[in-house]
Amino acid sequence: MTATHADYRLSQLDQLEAESIHIFREAAAEFEKPVLMFSGGKDSIVMLRLAEKAFFPAKIPFPVLQIDNGLDFPEVAETRDRWVQRLGVRLVIASIDDAIARGIVVDDGKTSRNRLQTPTLLNAIEENGFTAAFGGGRRDEEKARAKERVYSHRDEFGQWDPKMQRPELWSLYNGRLHEGEHMRIFPISNWTELDIWDYIGREGIEIPQVYFAHQRRVFERDGMLLTETPLNPLREGEVVTERTVRYRTCGDMTLTGCVESTASTIPEIIEEVAAARVTERGATRGDDRFSEAAMEDRKKEGYF
Amino acid sequence: MAMDLLRFATAGSVDDGKSTLIGRLLFDSKSIFTDQLESVEKTSQDKGHGYVDLSLLTDGLRSEREQGITIDVAYRYFATPNRKFIIADTPGHVQYTRNMVTGASTADLGLVLVDARHGLTEQSRRHAVLLSLLRVPHLVLCINKMDLVDYSQEVYNKISAEFTAFATKLNIPDLEVIPISALQGDNVVTRSTSMDWYSGPTLIHHLEHVHVASDRDLVDVRLPVQYVIRPKSDDHHDYRGYAGQVAGGVLKPGDEVMVLPSGMTSKIAGIDLFDKEIPEAFPPMSVTVRLEDDVDVSRGDMISRVKNAPEPSQDIDAMICWMTNAPLRPRQKLAIKHTSNSARALIKDIQYRLDVNSLHRDLETKELGLNEIGRVQLRTTKPLLCDPYSKNRTTGSFILIDEATGVTVGAGMIND
């Protein structure tokens, strides 16, 4: 029997997976000291899964880096620890509190912890001598990201210069660096929010419970539903109520909003995401709301 | 049937209605979210525009919005129930050729837009030439703004005939010409009621059904080795796997293979995809291949078939698109990256510069400026395992890197 082309078709998820694995292998081969930025959120978990597949049966040949902002959801931290333990990768923790104590970043009481993550991250990259950092950014997330390369070059200050990006053709990635520079690498650039969920469902991989519908005591601020926590004191007029919610993204607990939802399984989440009319960042990320170019500005400074 | 994927590149300037077309594809396929639309509506209002400017959806960077231009290739995503689409949206103004070449390099299909009132322009011909040069196998010419020419069949026939005649000079295996109005929505997602004379597909129907699986080479086995996997653990003490993304052909356990450049032969012992052994591997799968014999294989090597292997060569004849301000000249030395291989290259000769508007070959010029394309001879420090770009877009392409700045300065396509 002769095979026809119809027998050799890869589904779009398999094609995305193959592309991401190619990127991981390429970077691991070419960079002296890569690291994977691992928050414990769904995108970084998918990244870690892809890295696991890329090098199996060998262990992932680079450590994972966690920026501890002190404001993570406890469920996210637990899931993250389980993943790190299961895969036997080395965990490097860079804590904002520690960076403040050492005078690397200044907490003026006005700047959000989100903003303080950038200098903490850049310092961790420099101190550990990392030459490449894998990030879970996706181009469908935000319009500044839509124009970012898979290999995103950062100068010795960690800055991104959107106008000076290297052309990126075929699957040929240019990893050239000068002393002190590093590369941010985005293996899941071409995945959408829905792809991530389809993949989590297909692979049956563990993600933090906060992504599923649960009862939570929340209050409304700037049109977002935030969780009640001693880390985020209520302002005048804010009232706490208990609602059935879930999170679409997992960032800083004090800035990340949840959405009212009864989706408690992956198929229900996929159905909800497919019907959603608001982007995940628009709905739930206080950190992107300061201005139309909030993400662009943070990226230029060296944000994830 | 699982969902598949189509990557396409759009070419055209704002005046052709490209942003409106993309906006319509995204909007009608429900890929624009209300917060994105609200933000665009608000910005349009702030700027005093009389209508919602959908180009604001695609202009992502602050400097682009300030200057009203698009700087860079932007990637957009939408899906219909059967297919996911990745659009490489290339701007028409600045750095035109460089961006278009970048966007087209990964595209299965190229979409060229013309204004029905103006017909083919120098720019639309240039778009077609670049798509053909980059061997994008499918091309769609959208004749837009049909509403402004009274949906005239005559206008459609004239432009269609003119373009088809021009396309015969190029390498365009599959061409479709679709009359549309992006603004009114005719033949984009819904069939036009104003063009009964047109019996072809709507744009979205064509994008959903164009057959791309057969574009891949399933005959000539090519596996560029990216990474050698050696676990060095007790459980997998003797495991030695060669990891890479299949660039051509179908590999099966038991197949006799040759490893280049050494020329050593062995048999495939097994093909692994994560923790599973799979019966065969084909493009664009990322797999790990184990061989029966203990042959020396490292990154940059290529696994192929004994009687069908690329020719190792240090002399390369290629079309090069130059992407930086300082011109390319003979005797220049550059770094070259080809599949998983890196080397240095010396520019031996610039044979001619190609005028992408007229296809004229300028034999006098001995340099290539920014955004220019020419035929170039290179000599590399070590043999590269090359195929003609017309046969394989992965093993037939390379990039050139300036060794001092580290910047990607050229894109190359190897000639037959």
Side-chain angles (χ1 to χ4, degrees):
Chain A
M1 198 190 85
T2 44
T4 66
H5 280 92
D7 301 325
Y8 295 108
R9 283 166 81 160
L10 272 195
S11 75
Q12 62 110 4
L13 268 191
D14 285 329
Q15 288 194 48
L16 291 173
E17 181 188 69
E19 176 181 78
S20 302
I21 288 175
H22 172 83
I23 294 163
F24 269 117
R25 288 170 173 169
E26 206 54 21
E30 287 202 314
F31 289 93
E32 217 167 296
K33 230 183 152 185
V35 68
L36 185 145
M37 298 189 284
F38 188 53
S39 69
K42 65 183 190 317
D43 299 320
S44 71
I45 286 177
V46 165
M47 266 213 305
L48 200 56
R49 172 67 164 187
L50 292 163
E52 179 188 11
K53 287 195 173 192
F55 304 103
F56 191 86
K59 279 188 184 172
I60 295 172
F62 38 78
V64 299
L65 173 66
Q66 176 207 335
I67 303 299
D68 176 14
N69 60 17
L71 300 170
D72 276 337
F73 292 94
E75 299 93 328
V76 175
E78 285 160 22
T79 309
R80 183 171 57 209
D81 292 348
R82 271 197 297 276
W83 269 92
V84 166
Q85 200 174 21
R86 184 174 72 76
L87 296 178
V89 285
R90 185 165 73 88
L91 175 66
V92 180
I93 297 175
S95 117
I96 293 187
D97 287 326
D98 179 53
I100 292 169
R102 287 164 59 204
I104 293 159
V105 301
V106 179
D107 185 8
D108 58 7
K110 284 178 283 186
T111 312
S112 84
R113 289 220 146 206
N114 188 282
R115 206 86 192 183
L116 298 179
Q117 290 186 117
T118 301
T120 308
L121 167 67
L122 292 175
N123 183 68
I125 288 174
E126 196 171 316
E127 271 189 0
N128 290 281
F130 294 129
T131 50
F134 296 105
R138 307 190 321 263
R139 287 173 178 152
D140 77 321
E141 270 181 279
E142 205 279 333
K143 49 190 180 175
R145 287 216 207 260
K147 305 213 163 176
E148 189 162 15
R149 303 290 184 260
V150 171
Y151 271 38
S152 183
H153 178 258
R154 301 304 161 103
D155 68 11
E156 57 269 64
F157 299 100
Q159 301 178 106
W160 178 55
D161 184 349
K163 285 192 198 170
M164 292 290 285
Q165 296 194 87
R166 297 170 178 178
E168 199 158 76
L169 299 107
W170 299 288
S171 48
L172 292 168
Y173 301 102
N174 174 359
R176 293 261 169 159
L177 291 176
H178 290 112
E179 184 72 31
E181 298 174 345
H182 74 277
M183 202 67 82
R184 294 290 171 82
I185 298 174
F186 300 104
I188 56 169
S189 286
N190 285 325
W191 297 54
T192 62
E193 185 185 11
L194 202 51
D195 296 328
I196 295 287
W197 283 113
D198 281 339
Y199 194 71
I200 289 170
R202 183 181 93 169
E203 301 283 306
I205 49 188
E206 188 203 349
I207 53 165
Q209 282 303 315
V210 294
Y211 285 112
F212 300 98
H214 57 283
Q215 294 289 309
R216 185 174 283 271
R217 289 174 57 80
V218 295
F219 63 93
E220 206 169 312
R221 179 180 293 169
D222 304 328
M224 287 190 304
L225 285 180
L226 299 179
T227 188
E228 179 190 44
T229 161
L231 298 166
N232 201 10
L234 291 183
R235 295 179 191 156
E236 214 184 298
E238 291 174 341
V239 189
V240 173
T241 53
E242 189 167 296
R243 303 201 203 177
T244 308
V245 297
R246 69 173 204 89
Y247 284 87
R248 280 177 77 184
T249 71
C250 282
D252 175 334
M253 221 188 330
T254 64
L255 277 173
T256 307
C258 49
V259 290
E260 288 195 85
S261 165
T262 54
S264 55
T265 62
I266 303 267
E268 284 169 10
I269 291 174
I270 290 172
E271 204 176 314
E272 188 187 283
V273 170
R277 303 302 302 140
V278 181
T279 63
E280 59 181 8
R281 286 200 161 258
T284 64
R285 289 306 276 259
D287 38 341
D288 286 343
R289 291 193 159 193
F290 300 123
S291 80
E292 183 159 20
M295 174 66 95
E296 183 180 346
D297 292 342
R298 281 181 299 150
K299 287 194 77 64
K300 282 181 182 167
E301 287 168 17
Y303 186 70
F304 301 113
Chain B
M1 179 76 214
M3 202 186 212
D4 75 353
L5 179 65
L6 181 84
R7 296 175 198 248
F8 69 97
T10 56
S13 64
V14 180
D15 310 331
D16 300 325
K18 185 177 60 132
S19 298
T20 316
L21 177 62
I22 292 177
R24 174 144 313 268
L25 282 171
L26 298 179
F27 192 76
D28 286 0
S29 65
K30 299 191 170 63
S31 305
I32 292 177
F33 296 97
T34 48
D35 55 323
Q36 291 174 315
L37 200 63
E38 274 166 20
S39 141
V40 166
E41 280 168 357
K42 185 173 159 289
T43 311
S44 301
Q45 221 173 16
D46 290 352
K47 290 190 164 190
H49 294 170
Y51 56 92
V52 176
D53 184 357
L54 283 175
S55 73
L56 293 168
L57 273 172
T58 50
D59 293 339
L61 304 171
R62 190 206 304 270
S63 39
E64 294 178 320
R65 289 193 296 275
E66 283 165 2
Q67 296 165 37
I69 56 159
T70 312
I71 289 171
D72 217 301
V73 185
Y75 294 89
R76 326 248 150 235
Y77 305 83
F78 73 101
T80 60
N82 302 318
R83 216 167 225 187
K84 173 181 168 169
F85 300 93
I86 302 180
I87 313 177
D89 181 17
T90 61
H93 300 276
V94 190
Q95 295 279 0
Y96 180 73
T97 302
R98 168 181 145 154
N99 286 321
M100 170 105 199
V101 166
T102 303
S105 72
T106 51
D108 306 303
L109 179 146
L111 195 157
V112 176
L113 220 64
V114 298
D115 185 325
R117 294 170 303 172
H118 306 137
L120 293 190
T121 58
E122 192 173 283
Q123 190 170 267
S124 32
R125 287 194 186 85
R126 188 164 62 213
H127 295 159
V129 169
L130 292 174
L131 289 167
S132 144
L133 195 71
L134 269 291
R135 298 273 173 176
V136 178
H138 307 273
L139 196 151
V140 179
L141 177 72
C142 283
I143 304 178
N144 192 23
K145 306 195 186 180
M146 287 300 290
D147 53 321
L148 300 181
V149 296
D150 295 329
Y151 297 105
S152 155
Q153 183 177 13
E154 214 174 303
V155 170
Y156 169 83
N157 284 344
K158 184 174 167 288
I159 298 173
S160 180
E162 202 185 332
F163 189 83
T164 310
F166 178 70
T168 55
K169 290 188 248 174
L170 307 171
N171 291 302
I172 298 171
D174 172 39
L175 170 67
E176 190 76 42
V177 186
I178 305 176
I180 64 166
S181 166
L183 197 66
Q184 308 297 333
D186 292 278
N187 287 339
V188 178
V189 173
T190 44
R191 175 158 285 281
S192 173
T193 50
S194 315
M195 290 180 273
D196 294 340
W197 48 264
Y198 174 74
S199 57
T202 59
L203 176 60
I204 195 78
H205 185 274
H206 184 64
L207 293 175
E208 278 188 298
H209 293 93
V210 63
H211 193 58
V212 290
S214 53
D215 299 335
R216 303 201 187 272
D217 176 357
L218 295 177
V219 176
D220 310 297
V221 170
R222 301 287 186 268
L223 179 73
V225 176
Q226 275 188 286
Y227 197 93
V228 180
I229 295 177
R230 298 197 62 185
K232 293 176 188 156
S233 68
D234 292 340
D235 298 349
H236 305 278
H237 197 73
D238 295 320
Y239 189 96
R240 198 181 170 96
Y242 307 108
Q245 187 165 20
V246 182
V250 179
L251 295 94
K252 294 188 179 85
D255 283 353
E256 208 170 321
V257 290
M258 182 155 88
V259 180
L260 291 167
S262 71
M264 284 191 287
T265 57
S266 182
K267 270 188 182 166
I268 295 179
I271 305 171
D272 299 329
L273 188 68
F274 186 39
D275 55 358
K276 287 187 187 65
E277 274 203 59
I278 54 170
E280 52 190 4
F282 53 92
M285 291 169 87
S286 280
V287 295
T288 305
V289 167
R290 285 174 283 113
L291 298 180
E292 282 184 359
D293 306 282
D294 194 12
V295 292
D296 184 28
V297 185
S298 51
R299 174 175 166 84
D301 290 356
M302 179 98 67
I303 294 174
S304 56
R305 300 298 291 269
V306 177
K307 283 184 180 149
N308 178 347
E311 200 62 41
S313 173
Q314 283 179 263
D315 291 295
I316 293 169
D317 174 32
M319 297 304 289
I320 285 179
C321 173
W322 193 243
M323 301 175 148
T324 194
N325 286 314
L328 177 72
R329 295 199 173 97
R331 308 305 303 164
Q332 208 166 318
K333 290 193 184 82
L334 296 148
I336 184 169
K337 189 170 181 192
H338 169 261
T339 66
S340 52
N341 225 327
S342 291
R344 297 182 74 212
L346 169 73
I347 304 300
K348 301 271 283 189
D349 188 28
I350 297 175
Q351 210 175 321
Y352 60 80
R353 191 170 56 91
L354 182 74
D355 184 326
V356 288
N357 299 318
S358 63
L359 296 177
H360 174 73
R361 294 170 177 186
D362 177 1
L363 298 159
E364 303 306 312
T365 318
K366 282 294 167 199
E367 59 176 50
L368 291 181
L370 174 65
N371 290 316
E372 290 185 338
I373 291 168
R375 185 168 181 174
V376 176
Q377 272 74 46
L378 305 94
R379 172 94 184 157
T380 56
T381 47
K382 64 175 181 186
L384 298 182
L385 307 159
C386 299
D387 286 304
Y389 186 72
S390 61
K391 288 251 168 66
N392 192 314
R393 289 170 81 188
T394 305
T395 53
S397 56
F398 60 84
I399 55 170
L400 295 171
I401 298 164
D402 183 306
E403 293 183 300
T405 62
V407 171
T408 306
V409 289
M413 289 148 281
I414 297 162
N415 288 321
D416 292 14

